[in-house]
Amino acid sequence: MTDDTEVKRKRRLSKKERKALKKQRTNNNNAQKVSITATKPEADEEAAIDYLKNYEAIEVPTKVSSEINNKKGGNNTANEDLEGGSTGKTLGKWFPNALLVKSSISFTNTGQLLVNGKVDGIDESKTKNPRASLVLFYQYTEKTKKWNPERVKILMSYLSIIAKKRNLGGRIRVAQEGVNATLSAVDMPTKDGASAAETLRYVAQDLKNFDPVFEETDFKFIDDLSPDRHFKELRVIPVEELVFYGIREEDAACQEGGVHLKAKEYHEMLKEENAVVIDVRNHYEAVIGRFDGQEKVDDPKKKLEHKGAEYIDPKMRKSTDFTQWLSKDETKEKLKDKKVLMFCTGGIRCERASAFLKKEMGDEVDGVYQLQGGIERYLKAFPDGGFWRGKNFVFDKREAVSAEDKDGDGGVVKKKKGKKDNKKDDDLPAKCCVCEKKWDRYVGKKKCFTCGVPVLMCSICMSKKPDKTKGMEIKVRCPLCIEENITVPCSEVEFTDNGVKNKKNQDEQDASAGKAAQSVLKWGGGHAKKKKLQRKAQRRICQFGTECVRKDCMFYHPERQGEKSTSS
């Protein structure tokens, strides 16, 4: 070829140049997208800032010190990112108005410091034995003084400002009826940085300054945790109901629930014979820990006989199953004329459930009571575990907590040094879903093949990946699906919103095709996978064009657009 006709080849970019180009494209794309915080009216944020100005806020540094920044070559990007806080990322179509605030400081489970998501070579003296803290709380407003939508927006903005200021992580659900939250903080590695414990106490005061209703809140602080227990981001999620039961408020107002008992009062009532104790949590939580120690006799010479309140597991996949369980005749017969004790992880699920039970059976039972502060408060009051057996499944990075281990199981699978197996928990129904050996760790995010709830799978079986192996998926089922002989994958069944109920009645289902679960632990139900494939196919033009004879073809047919509009 001559020089005139020769095509110039493009120079291959170096790895560093490719990364820079990718970052530039990402930034451009994010700039074009509508930011979730930008959609909020400016007035909301201004109103939220006004609350912060009304009192003398204790200053808690939220950005990395200049000393750390200088170690990174004087690049100011990290500090500028901290000022912004929001990632511009949405939480899907179910939560389009949620706020997401990145935490600037976090730690890996090996103790490495992450500054804006990157490992930083900070001096060891500044990260010597850093600790994290958690605070769990919920608060309902008064029945006649619900927050209006504008107030909810202001509260969300207020919380996002606090998150940036205090360097928080976790999840907050906000509704007109109140707040449900799990928040985390970690010791700041700067010279004048606040400790994690101090930071969360400041947050409690921030909320009390926003609304006096938080003066009544039971803030459950858990301090001196491993630094990797801190969340890397905070999600502020607006919802219609803090815990979704599918119950109208006029049928069960949270303010009309059972009598709240402190841990020691609850413990004493568990000893009573004419009582039942209802586990308001999901079955996958109950299999690794429960209140049934009061039914056991400690003396090995005696036979095991019923002592104290009878433990009842409603065997629910999700909260919406509670009403269906309570409507059964056998349930009502078991509760009749008994003192009904209820408990859950932190107390919030008992609020609506106890109110509904009182409305349905108030005259038929000898009182309805609930554990104030949930299992978290009970284990603090009884360091030896009391009548609790096993582990308390939690919705934070601790994973599951026992009386003797507040740091929890979270992280990699490894046996903790000096930890002895608790023999009194040997008969708990916690076992691997594949090999059926004793196992009580929810790791690897393994889900039931037929209903989507978390399943227990041991490390040996996990390495074989049965959920990815054709023909082996049916082994990966929860105890409820095995007990009910559920065999149809949840991905093949359509459910109502929030996976509450199977749209196809069980009587109408083809018996030869197997039995499907009545509810699934999944937003929108199991048919989401099919809809995703349809949306993907509709973006591609059908290769057969006008010759395609399938009327239900999922691929795009430009010539059929007119037919759809006229038929509709």
Side-chain angles (χ1 to χ4, degrees), residues 151-164:
R151 181 80 165 165
V152 170
K153 287 180 182 178
I154 292 172
L155 176 56
M156 288 181 65
S157 292
Y158 182 73
L159 290 166
S160 66
I161 292 168
I162 291 172
K164 296 172 196 174

Side-chain angles (χ1 to χ4, degrees), residues 552-564:
D552 60 342
C553 181
M554 289 192 299
F555 293 98
Y556 180 53
H557 288 265
E559 71 280 359
R560 294 184 185 177
Q561 295 305 304
E563 296 173 21
K564 286 183 181 179

Side-chain angles (χ1 to χ4, degrees), residues 7-232:
V7 179
K8 246 186 180 180
R9 287 187 178 180
K10 287 185 179 179
R11 182 177 67 83
R12 182 178 176 82
L13 299 176
S14 66
K15 187 176 180 181
K16 188 175 180 181
E17 287 171 325
R18 289 199 302 274
K19 284 181 75 176
L21 185 61
K22 186 178 179 181
K23 187 176 180 181
Q24 185 181 350
R25 284 174 180 165
T26 304
N27 291 338
N28 289 340
N29 289 337
N30 286 341
Q32 290 172 7
K33 290 178 182 177
V34 179
S35 171
I36 51 176
T37 52
T39 61
K40 303 286 172 286
E42 290 182 8
D44 293 343
E45 190 162 340
E46 287 174 7
I49 292 170
D50 286 340
Y51 283 104
L52 286 170
K53 289 179 180 176
N54 286 337
Y55 72 101
E56 188 178 348
I58 303 170
E59 200 58 41
V60 179
T62 57
K63 61 182 182 180
V64 188
S65 68
S66 57
E67 187 177 343
I68 297 176
N69 199 37
N70 290 337
K71 285 180 183 256
K72 300 182 83 172
N75 185 354
N76 267 340
T77 309
N79 283 349
E80 289 167 4
D81 288 344
L82 284 171
E83 298 290 336
S86 173
T87 63
K89 172 181 167 186
T90 68
L91 299 184
K93 68 175 184 178
W94 289 98
F95 304 111
N97 297 318
L99 301 180
L100 189 67
V101 182
K102 287 270 187 179
S103 174
S104 60
I105 301 291
S106 58
F107 288 82
T108 67
N109 57 12
T110 57
Q112 285 182 305
L113 170 67
L114 297 178
V115 180
N116 288 310
K118 298 176 183 177
V119 178
D120 193 272
I122 188 173
D123 291 340
E124 287 184 12
S125 59
K126 294 197 174 180
T127 57
K128 189 177 180 181
N129 194 31
R131 308 308 291 163
S133 289
L134 287 169
V135 60
L136 316 176
F137 67 92
Y138 67 90
Q139 181 61 53
Y140 282 100
T141 61
E142 293 179 33
K143 190 176 179 182
T144 56
K145 292 183 180 179
K146 280 193 168 188
W147 294 322
N148 58 36
E150 290 71 27
R151 181 80 165 165
V152 170
K153 287 180 182 178
I154 292 172
L155 176 56
M156 288 181 65
S157 292
Y158 182 73
L159 290 166
S160 66
I161 292 168
I162 291 172
K164 296 172 196 174
K165 181 181 179 62
R166 309 291 194 200
N167 195 46
L168 302 179
R171 289 185 297 271
I172 305 179
R173 293 167 70 86
V174 184
Q176 288 183 248
E177 64 181 4
V179 168
N180 182 21
T182 298
L183 298 179
S184 69
V186 70
D187 293 346
M188 294 296 290
T190 53
K191 186 178 180 181
D192 54 350
S195 70
E198 289 173 327
T199 298
L200 292 183
R201 270 69 175 181
Y202 300 154
V203 172
Q205 187 58 50
D206 290 335
L207 289 166
K208 291 173 185 176
N209 289 332
F210 179 83
D211 195 312
V213 73
F214 289 105
E215 294 285 353
E216 306 167 7
T217 306
D218 179 16
F219 291 100
K220 295 180 277 291
F221 295 101
I222 302 119
D223 297 320
D224 196 30
L225 297 173
S226 171
D228 65 312
R229 297 308 188 243
H230 173 53
F231 286 90
K232 294 179 182 177

